[in-house]
Amino acid sequence: MKSNETGQDQNIEPEKTYSRRTILKSAGIGSLGVIIGASGLGGVISARESASNSAKANKNTIPFYGKHQAGIATTKPALLYFASFDVKTESRAELIEMLKDWTKAAAAMASGEMIGGTQNSVYLPPEDTGEAAALDTANLTLTFGVGPTLFKKNGKNRFGIAHKLPQELKKLPAFSLDALDKDWCDGDLCVQVCSDDAQVNFHAIRNLVRIARGKAILKWSQEGFQGKNNPHTKNETPRNLFGFKDETVNLSPEKKMDFDKHVWVQSGDGPNWLTGGSYLVVRRIQMHIEVWDRTALGEQEKTFGRHRITGAPLGKEKEFSDLGLDRKDEAGNFVIPVNAHARQAHGKGDQPLYRRSFSYSSGMAANTGTLDAGLFFMCFQRFPSKQFIPVQKRLGQSDKLNEYITHRGSAIFACLPGIRKGGWIGETLFS
Amino acid sequence: MKSNETGQDQNIEPEKTYSRRTILKSAGIGSLGVIIGASGLGGVISARESASNSAKANKNTIPFYGKHQAGIATTKPALLYFASFDVKTESRAELIEMLKDWTKAAAAMASGEMIGGTQNSVYLPPEDTGEAAALDTANLTLTFGVGPTLFKKNGKNRFGIAHKLPQELKKLPAFSLDALDKDWCDGDLCVQVCSDDAQVNFHAIRNLVRIARGKAILKWSQEGFQGKNNPHTKNETPRNLFGFKDETVNLSPEKKMDFDKHVWVQSGDGPNWLTGGSYLVVRRIQMHIEVWDRTALGEQEKTFGRHRITGAPLGKEKEFSDLGLDRKDEAGNFVIPVNAHARQAHGKGDQPLYRRSFSYSSGMAANTGTLDAGLFFMCFQRFPSKQFIPVQKRLGQSDKLNEYITHRGSAIFACLPGIRKGGWIGETLFS
């Protein structure tokens, strides 16, 4: 088994053993044993690494298993990679097998381990594509959802689950001013990957795509981001690409009662398989950056109904002050205009959403030389019919912000309940 | 000047004062004075913020001014936003004006300040688009370069600088297997924006595009990333999307003599305006992820000529060991195959490059359902004709990695020397 630099050793050693944790250790101490061997493949060369595993688990790790899926009530990190999949197999067994494989991979990635454990043969493709080796886990979460078309498509009960389709899980209605592109809409399955590292996100999506091969394909995907506050302002509300604070008014995961009332699906709401899950609405909202950037600050502030820098309602000092929608100026006009975004989004204040959006930037819009950028809006809720849908109906008709934005993509998914240890993604739906 | 929540104040107060630093302070103490006024624009509402500025400068700040531009020898952060511009104005004076405006904006952004100082009228678009307010400076650098077409295009001496075109600054030759798409090639000007925050990067490019309006337009752009090592492995070489370490063999900015010899243009190399600058070659290299992911680990390792996990040359233990290119196995074959990437890139070891690349991921390749991802290769050098060009000639012909990659984009720029305080981008070229 001894190795050397001459390449003369006759041993054949087709196995490698490593894990992301092992690598942490190895990188520090260079303790690898290395084998060079002649093999049936003609000089395939491999290395065995120390199987010892003493590095401590990374602290930027969010548990994968639990009552609810991670990535909803957990803190929103800097970067998003969202993917929508179409299932291609017609076999229920194959679909379940894929979901079980996804579960294993997702659990490994979320804990900073290599997918597939510590064994890799040089004769096979590696089970983990490797680009996240030794990277920080970076608060990675993977959140899985199912779309209405997984249950029934073109009238067909695809996987024997049509009877389990919740009433709330249906394609969103058309809203005023929608300009949807089917390339950014819908999907049988979705996964929301979030972390603080773009390479960790890419690695997660890439490996899910790889595992799905032959069973499901990427339908569309979108990366997103939010700015990171500096240490002086770490609790400041993130800003959207119009420079205004976004998600000032939002449900807080710290208020568990609010989440139970407005975000998590409760027992008795519908089919029991979704209890502990949540409905996710995504909207890819293009922002017409160049038009906005030519608009006067006063006009911008009237459009949102808030001051740009402070985020306070117009005429107020503090971001979290009550909107004061009844206030009028000396000319008798509402201080917060009738069509201001803040007023229209608020409505009567009885349709609370849990928003967890990211900005996006996708290079240039084709042939215009303008930036294709905007908001990848995501919200979680217990009842789309009472929360997102009525809010968006109002906004589509009356929001002054519509002069500067266009909804290009739309989808709804039921995000599954949390996965128990030993369980798998979709277990409650398919069992 | 007093404000209240009733909107009755008659004062007109069209000015706002703030800076990113002021905001840091204001956010903490909520000390803003607020004015509501009726104005000629009809109820425009504005706020005056405290002009006091006591927050400390952010420590994640890289100086904008200096002998060399930042973003070359400075540490590579997590995220890239690269943009190529075409100049549309035919006026030398307008081009210079734009470069001066870019300088002011870039210097402000690199130091974490709002562009345009602390004054904003509600009657005008804000000078800074605002989405980076209160964000960490995140090691932002902006690096500017000029392409050959800025000097002469279609035979025309566009801005009276044709006689200043360096011999080394010419369109790269065609290489074997190039499959270039003109939408990812060339440009009159470039800017490389790097930081650890995607929103800070976006803000920088977006404001440069805004300032250029009417004078220059985006030709193409590309975002990129590298993984962030965890605390246990913080000095580990970054991995590319094939899971292998990349930039193991590289020039180090810490070795100033190497940089003077191989990276920085020296006095006497060509026209003096470029002394202290560097030639940048960019190549958008698509990686055929799906093909790679079906390839056996042994084959992958023979393709690179290195072990995947350790990065060591085949048959060796340590990443930074000499390649040992003469070693043969018992069958008489080279341990590092003749066409292995490491061997071909190394050549005779006399064409050192300073590589500073990022991975990229741009959603899906059109209509294939595969990922459009790869390496946004960037290298800096003193003599493209003696460094990148001969290396790529060899790689294009003989690199086994060509089975898994395709070069889709290509450009060359002369990155300007550093900017002196009070100076401007392009000053040495246009003076």
Side-chain angles (χ1 to χ4, degrees):
Chain A
M1 295 287 288
K2 257 202 99 263
S3 120
N4 52 48
E5 302 275 3
T6 65
Q8 304 305 311
D9 198 294
Q10 295 289 334
N11 283 311
I12 294 170
E13 181 54 47
E15 300 295 329
K16 295 187 99 160
T17 60
Y18 49 73
S19 73
R20 273 166 76 177
R21 287 191 189 166
T22 305
I23 291 157
L24 309 190
K25 182 152 180 290
S26 308
I29 61 178
S31 66
L32 311 184
V34 176
I35 300 297
I36 302 176
S39 77
L41 287 182
V44 169
I45 292 159
S46 69
R48 174 182 288 277
E49 296 192 4
S50 161
S52 70
N53 188 340
S54 64
K56 282 185 190 163
N58 193 300
K59 68 176 175 172
N60 298 322
T61 298
I62 297 174
F64 176 73
Y65 298 105
K67 183 179 176 191
H68 306 294
Q69 284 196 84
I72 301 174
T74 51
T75 303
K76 184 167 67 165
L79 298 164
L80 164 79
Y81 201 145
F82 187 90
S84 166
F85 290 83
D86 267 350
V87 176
K88 289 299 177 185
T89 180
E90 296 184 359
S91 154
R92 176 182 163 112
E94 274 193 2
L95 173 59
I96 290 172
E97 184 193 7
M98 181 190 88
L99 293 171
K100 287 180 176 175
D101 289 343
W102 271 10
T103 308
K104 275 184 246 167
M109 293 191 285
S111 58
E113 301 287 341
M114 302 287 272
I115 298 169
T118 58
Q119 300 291 324
N120 275 282
S121 163
V122 292
Y123 300 106
L124 295 173
E127 289 211 60
D128 187 303
T129 57
E131 71 271 30
L135 296 187
D136 194 285
T137 318
N139 298 305
L140 174 66
T141 59
L142 303 97
T143 316
F144 296 86
V146 294
T149 48
L150 187 72
F151 296 79
K152 212 169 172 178
K153 200 170 186 176
N154 302 324
K156 190 177 171 197
N157 183 353
R158 301 174 72 191
F159 303 106
I161 53 172
H163 62 292
K164 292 190 171 180
L165 178 68
Q167 237 185 338
E168 288 281 347
L169 186 62
K170 51 182 149 196
K171 197 178 165 86
L172 295 170
F175 299 104
S176 294
L177 302 178
D178 271 4
L180 303 181
D181 176 339
K182 67 178 171 38
D183 289 345
W184 297 108
C185 288
D186 307 329
D188 295 336
L189 296 168
C190 79
V191 56
Q192 172 201 253
V193 168
C194 298
S195 84
D196 289 308
D197 189 321
Q199 188 138 326
V200 167
N201 278 3
F202 179 84
H203 174 257
I205 293 287
R206 182 248 197 102
N207 279 279
L208 296 178
V209 170
R210 182 180 58 76
I211 291 166
R213 188 168 297 141
K215 298 174 187 122
I217 59 164
L218 259 188
K219 180 173 168 61
W220 56 273
S221 66
Q222 180 66 56
E223 292 177 68
F225 58 91
Q226 68 166 346
K228 289 182 285 189
N229 291 320
N230 75 38
H232 298 281
T233 59
K234 61 180 173 182
N235 293 317
E236 191 161 315
T237 307
R239 290 175 188 275
N240 61 35
L241 298 187
F242 284 161
F244 280 67
K245 293 187 180 187
D246 212 320
E247 304 183 355
T248 293
V249 177
N250 206 2
L251 295 172
S252 166
E254 287 166 20
K255 295 190 177 161
K256 190 182 171 307
M257 274 181 55
D258 279 357
F259 259 54
D260 282 342
K261 192 168 174 193
H262 301 299
V263 179
W264 302 125
V265 172
Q266 303 293 317
S267 175
D269 285 353
N272 263 334
W273 64 265
L274 191 57
T275 302
S278 186
Y279 293 97
L280 166 63
V281 169
V282 304
R283 304 282 287 183
R284 187 178 194 266
I285 304 174
Q286 186 182 1
M287 289 174 155
H288 302 298
I289 297 283
E290 287 80 2
V291 181
W292 184 259
D293 286 352
R294 286 194 291 259
T295 302
L297 176 59
E299 222 19 53
Q300 292 184 356
E301 295 193 329
K302 289 204 295 182
T303 299
F304 274 101
R306 290 182 176 275
H307 291 293
R308 186 172 84 135
I309 292 299
T310 59
L314 287 184
K316 293 204 172 188
E317 293 186 30
K318 292 183 182 167
E319 178 184 0
F320 296 99
S321 291
D322 182 84
L323 284 171
L325 292 170
D326 296 335
R327 290 174 299 140
K328 293 189 177 177
D329 64 18
E330 72 282 9
N333 299 311
F334 283 115
V335 173
I336 295 184
V338 170
N339 58 358
H341 180 72
R343 180 186 292 274
Q344 291 295 325
H346 180 266
K348 291 176 181 149
D350 56 355
Q351 296 145 338
L353 289 171
Y354 174 55
R355 287 170 293 144
R356 199 174 184 275
S357 305
F358 292 82
S359 293
Y360 79 85
S361 158
S362 294
M364 286 160 46
N367 300 326
T368 61
T370 57
L371 296 163
D372 180 7
L375 187 72
F376 194 74
F377 174 91
M378 295 196 286
C379 68
F380 294 90
Q381 61 229 286
R382 186 175 166 193
F383 299 113
S385 66
K386 299 177 189 170
Q387 295 172 275
F388 175 77
I389 291 172
V391 171
Q392 185 54 30
K393 271 191 183 155
R394 196 165 57 239
L395 289 175
Q397 285 167 355
S398 312
D399 184 1
K400 184 167 164 59
L401 199 52
N402 290 328
E403 296 174 25
Y404 305 98
I405 62 174
T406 303
H407 287 239
R408 300 287 189 198
S410 175
I412 185 169
F413 298 96
C415 286
L416 299 158
I419 296 139
R420 65 177 178 86
K421 252 183 192 160
W424 45 280
I425 297 157
E427 183 176 22
T428 60
L429 175 57
F430 286 98
S431 294
Chain B
M1 296 288 288
K2 257 202 102 264
S3 116
N4 52 49
E5 302 275 2
T6 65
Q8 304 304 309
D9 197 294
Q10 295 290 331
N11 284 312
I12 296 171
E13 182 54 46
E15 300 296 330
K16 298 187 99 162
T17 60
Y18 49 74
S19 73
R20 273 166 77 175
R21 287 192 189 166
T22 306
I23 292 158
L24 311 188
K25 182 155 183 287
S26 309
I29 59 177
S31 66
L32 312 184
V34 177
I35 301 295
I36 303 177
S39 77
L41 287 182
V44 170
I45 292 160
S46 70
R48 174 183 286 276
E49 296 191 7
S50 163
S52 71
N53 188 339
S54 65
K56 282 185 189 161
N58 193 299
K59 68 175 176 171
N60 298 322
T61 299
I62 297 174
F64 176 73
Y65 298 105
K67 183 180 175 190
H68 305 294
Q69 284 196 83
I72 300 173
T74 51
T75 303
K76 184 166 67 165
L79 298 164
L80 164 79
Y81 199 145
F82 187 89
S84 166
F85 290 83
D86 267 349
V87 176
K88 289 299 177 183
T89 181
E90 297 185 358
S91 155
R92 175 183 165 112
E94 275 193 2
L95 173 58
I96 290 173
E97 185 193 7
M98 182 191 87
L99 294 171
K100 289 181 174 174
D101 289 345
W102 271 10
T103 308
K104 275 184 244 166
M109 293 190 287
S111 57
E113 302 286 340
M114 301 287 271
I115 299 169
T118 58
Q119 301 291 323
N120 275 283
S121 164
V122 293
Y123 301 107
L124 295 173
E127 289 211 62
D128 187 302
T129 58
E131 70 271 30
L135 296 187
D136 195 285
T137 316
N139 298 306
L140 174 66
T141 59
L142 304 96
T143 315
F144 296 86
V146 294
T149 48
L150 187 71
F151 295 78
K152 211 168 173 180
K153 200 171 187 175
N154 302 323
K156 193 178 167 194
N157 182 354
R158 300 172 73 189
F159 303 106
I161 53 173
H163 62 292
K164 293 189 171 181
L165 178 67
Q167 235 184 339
E168 288 280 347
L169 186 62
K170 51 183 150 196
K171 197 178 165 87
L172 295 170
F175 299 104
S176 293
L177 303 178
D178 271 4
L180 304 181
D181 176 339
K182 67 178 171 41
D183 289 346
W184 297 107
C185 288
D186 308 328
D188 295 335
L189 296 168
C190 79
V191 56
Q192 172 202 251
V193 168
C194 298
S195 83
D196 289 307
D197 187 320
Q199 187 138 326
V200 167
N201 279 3
F202 180 85
H203 174 257
I205 293 287
R206 182 248 198 104
N207 279 279
L208 296 178
V209 170
R210 182 181 58 76
I211 290 166
R213 189 168 296 141
K215 300 177 186 116
I217 59 164
L218 259 187
K219 180 172 168 65
W220 56 272
S221 66
Q222 181 64 56
E223 291 176 67
F225 57 91
Q226 68 167 346
K228 287 181 288 188
N229 289 321
N230 74 36
H232 297 281
T233 58
K234 62 181 173 181
N235 292 318
E236 191 160 314
T237 307
R239 289 175 188 276
N240 62 33
L241 298 186
F242 284 160
F244 280 67
K245 293 187 181 186
D246 211 321
E247 304 183 356
T248 293
V249 177
N250 206 2
L251 295 172
S252 166
E254 285 166 21
K255 296 190 176 160
K256 190 183 171 306
M257 273 180 57
D258 279 357
F259 258 55
D260 282 342
K261 191 169 173 192
H262 301 300
V263 179
W264 303 125
V265 173
Q266 303 293 316
S267 174
D269 284 353
N272 262 333
W273 63 264
L274 191 56
T275 303
S278 187
Y279 293 97
L280 166 63
V281 169
V282 305
R283 304 283 288 183
R284 188 179 193 267
I285 304 173
Q286 186 181 3
M287 290 173 154
H288 303 296
I289 298 282
E290 287 79 3
V291 181
W292 184 259
D293 287 352
R294 285 193 292 258
T295 302
L297 176 60
E299 222 20 51
Q300 293 183 357
E301 295 193 329
K302 289 203 295 181
T303 299
F304 275 101
R306 289 180 176 276
H307 291 293
R308 187 172 82 136
I309 291 302
T310 59
L314 286 183
K316 294 205 172 189
E317 295 187 26
K318 293 183 182 168
E319 177 184 1
F320 296 101
S321 291
D322 182 83
L323 283 171
L325 292 171
D326 295 335
R327 288 175 299 140
K328 292 188 177 177
D329 64 18
E330 73 283 6
N333 299 313
F334 283 115
V335 174
I336 295 185
V338 170
N339 59 357
H341 180 72
R343 180 187 291 274
Q344 291 296 324
H346 179 266
K348 293 178 181 146
D350 56 355
Q351 296 144 336
L353 288 171
Y354 174 55
R355 287 170 293 144
R356 198 174 184 277
S357 305
F358 291 82
S359 293
Y360 79 85
S361 157
S362 294
M364 285 160 45
N367 301 325
T368 60
T370 57
L371 295 164
D372 180 6
L375 187 71
F376 194 72
F377 174 91
M378 295 196 286
C379 69
F380 295 90
Q381 61 228 285
R382 186 175 166 194
F383 299 114
S385 66
K386 300 178 190 170
Q387 296 172 277
F388 175 76
I389 292 172
V391 171
Q392 185 54 31
K393 271 192 181 153
R394 194 166 57 238
L395 290 174
Q397 285 169 354
S398 312
D399 184 2
K400 183 166 164 60
L401 199 52
N402 290 328
E403 295 174 24
Y404 306 98
I405 62 174
T406 303
H407 286 240
R408 299 289 189 196
S410 175
I412 185 170
F413 299 95
C415 286
L416 298 159
I419 296 138
R420 64 179 178 86
K421 251 181 193 161
W424 45 281
I425 297 156
E427 184 178 22
T428 60
L429 175 57
F430 286 98
S431 294

